[in-house]
């Protein structure tokens, strides 16, 4: 057997060296930000980083508007933002009505601050992820769909991890809350019928808007229910859901591109409406229950993507105007301003 040429030996040694270096490099890399959800409740991990902290703040205090439920606010004085020091403390819902079919009395939005006795301080990342995207509480209970897990289920692992990192950064606040006490059975319902459609040829901007719209739950509020409380998906984004509470008694408007909706809006007017809380060029003030005080924290790029997506949804003919006298609407079968125009 002949001797191996020196150049071949060098090549082999270099290859082995590169292989060892690559193995060391791979071993040194951080583990995945968030592994896939598993039923044993242990797989999901949210590793802290400055970037994730800021992204989580942006989502929680912007598009996902988490503190509207997991916080205390003073609607009587016109604000849906949490009172000082009350971010994440949770609350018991009282007297809130949705479309005349669902009253939230007795539901509890839990304390999600890191307080170990009354908050989420002992919950694992997997338990929080499971609540956000799957509708199962840290203690294994099925959550009411008042918690919008059906809309958050589309959140990426990275965004869920960012949300977890941010809420863990909140000051721990002691706020004992009772257990929920409702007269109806609660079952997880991911509302597949409420998934907004996306065209196959959608642009990247529209796809991004679609993602944000789901996280913001726009179609949940701007779609009426039938007499049994089921969404009338043929009217998605067409307005007509009644919401009554400390913010007043309002019916959500039509945000499709039909002339009865926001066909007169352009991108600039849409951004101005969200930023200022005044619609149609500033002539109408939005009800404080509309989360514009959270949405205005979003970037122009994200708000433009939402508007681009809304421009693609099927138009729905449905006149709604909360500044007008209440008249019966044969379309959503309730009374609201301009109901007689339908």
């Amino acid at each position: 057997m002949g001797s191996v040429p020196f150049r071949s030996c060098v090549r082999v040694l270099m290859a082995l060296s590169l292989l060892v270096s690559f193995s060391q490099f791979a071993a040194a890399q951080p583990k995945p930000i968030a592994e896939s959800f598993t039923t044993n409740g242990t797989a999901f991990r949210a590793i802290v980083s400055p970037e994730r902290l800021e992204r989580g703040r942006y989502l929680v205090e912007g598009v996902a508007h988490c503190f509207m439920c997991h916080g205390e606010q003073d609607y009587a004085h016109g604000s849906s933002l949490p009172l000082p020091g009350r971010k994440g403390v949770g609350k018991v819902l009282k007297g809130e009505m949705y479309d005349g079919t669902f009253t939230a009395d007795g539901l509890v939005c839990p304390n999600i601050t890191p307080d170990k006795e009354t908050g989420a301080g002992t919950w694992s990342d997997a338990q929080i992820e499971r609540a956000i995207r799957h509708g199962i509480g840290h203690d294994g209970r099925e959550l009411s769909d008042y918690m919008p897990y059906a809309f958050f289920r589309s959140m990426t692992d990275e965004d869920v991890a960012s949300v977890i990192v941010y809420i863990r950064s909140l000051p721990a606040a002691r706020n004992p809350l009772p257990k929920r006490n409702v007269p109806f059975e609660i079952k997880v319902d991911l509302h597949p019928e409420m998934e907004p459609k996306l065209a196959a040829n959608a642009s990247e901007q529209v796809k991004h808007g679609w993602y944000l719209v789901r996280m913001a739950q726009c179609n949940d509020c701007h779609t009426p229910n039938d007499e049994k409380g089921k969404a009338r998906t043929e009217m998605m984004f067409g307005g007509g859901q009644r919401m009554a509470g400390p913010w007043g008694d309002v019916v959500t408007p039509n945000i499709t591109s039909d002339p009865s909706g926001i066909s007169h809006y352009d991108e600039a007017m849409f951004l101005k409406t969200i930023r200022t809380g005044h619609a149609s060029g500033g002539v109408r003030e939005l009800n404080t229950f509309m989360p514009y005080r959270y949405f205005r924290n979003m970037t122009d790029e994200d708000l433009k993507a939402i508007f681009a997506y809304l421009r693609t949804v099927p138009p729905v003919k449905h006149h709604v105007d909360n500044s007008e006298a209440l008249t019966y609407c044969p379309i959503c079968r309730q009374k609201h301003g301009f109901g007689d125009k339908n």
Side-chain angles (χ1 to χ4, degrees), residues 221-243:
C221 287
H222 291 274
T223 303
N225 292 340
D226 62 21
E227 294 86 347
K228 296 182 179 180
K230 298 296 183 182
R232 295 183 59 186
T233 53
E234 77 279 6
M235 291 184 64
M236 194 172 289
F237 297 102
Q241 179 150 188
R242 181 186 172 200
M243 296 186 172

Side-chain angles (χ1 to χ4, degrees), residues 61-304:
E61 301 204 22
V63 62
H65 55 283
C66 302
F67 297 142
M68 276 193 72
C69 293
H70 297 282
E72 293 175 353
Q73 48 279 111
D74 186 0
Y75 285 113
H77 290 85
S79 179
S80 59
L81 296 176
L83 295 166
R86 306 309 285 170
K87 289 181 179 180
V89 301
K91 62 186 175 187
V92 180
L93 300 176
K94 297 179 180 179
E96 299 183 9
M97 180 178 289
Y98 298 85
D99 205 29
T101 60
F102 171 67
T103 301
D105 283 333
L107 286 177
V108 177
C109 302
N111 179 350
I112 58 172
T113 75
D115 183 69
K116 291 187 177 180
E117 292 185 11
T118 67
T122 62
W123 304 357
S124 69
D125 292 348
Q127 288 173 325
I128 298 175
E129 184 274 341
R130 187 171 60 172
I132 291 173
R133 291 196 296 199
H134 301 272
I136 303 295
H138 72 283
D139 53 2
R141 290 182 305 159
E142 293 173 297
L143 300 180
S144 162
D145 58 7
Y146 188 92
M147 163 63 184
Y149 56 81
F151 301 88
F152 292 163
R153 63 179 170 171
S154 61
M155 289 174 65
T156 64
D157 283 354
E158 172 62 24
D159 277 350
V160 173
S162 296
V163 166
I164 293 172
V165 167
Y166 176 60
I167 63 175
R168 290 203 187 284
S169 77
L170 297 172
R174 179 173 175 77
N175 188 32
L177 295 167
K179 293 185 180 297
R180 73 184 181 206
N181 181 21
V182 294
F184 51 86
E185 185 180 14
I186 290 177
K187 290 290 184 183
V188 167
D189 183 357
L190 290 173
H191 300 318
E193 75 282 359
M194 283 295 284
E195 182 72 3
K197 301 296 187 292
L198 179 68
N201 61 347
S203 68
E204 290 304 311
Q205 184 188 38
V206 168
K207 289 178 183 177
H208 183 53
W210 179 61
Y211 177 73
L212 295 171
V213 159
R214 288 181 291 170
M215 203 185 308
Q217 311 128 57
C218 302
N219 59 320
D220 188 30
C221 287
H222 291 274
T223 303
N225 292 340
D226 62 21
E227 294 86 347
K228 296 182 179 180
K230 298 296 183 182
R232 295 183 59 186
T233 53
E234 77 279 6
M235 291 184 64
M236 194 172 289
F237 297 102
Q241 179 150 188
R242 181 186 172 200
M243 296 186 172
W247 53 83
D249 191 341
V250 296
V251 174
T252 56
N254 183 347
I255 57 172
T256 73
S257 57
D258 186 82
S260 61
I262 58 171
S263 61
H264 59 293
Y265 272 55
D266 59 13
E267 187 178 77
M269 183 180 288
F270 180 78
L271 265 65
K272 185 178 180 180
T273 296
I274 300 300
R275 298 271 184 239
T276 66
H278 288 79
S280 298
V283 299
R284 296 178 182 175
E285 186 175 1
L286 299 178
N287 184 275
T288 189
F289 193 67
M290 160 62 183
Y292 68 86
R293 286 179 172 85
Y294 295 84
F295 296 163
R296 67 185 178 189
N297 293 329
M298 297 169 65
T299 63
D300 283 358
E301 179 185 10
D302 279 354
L303 289 175
K304 289 177 180 179

Side-chain angles (χ1 to χ4, degrees), residues 314-325:
V316 175
K317 185 177 181 180
H318 188 209
H319 295 274
V320 181
D321 190 328
N322 286 294
S323 66
E324 298 292 328

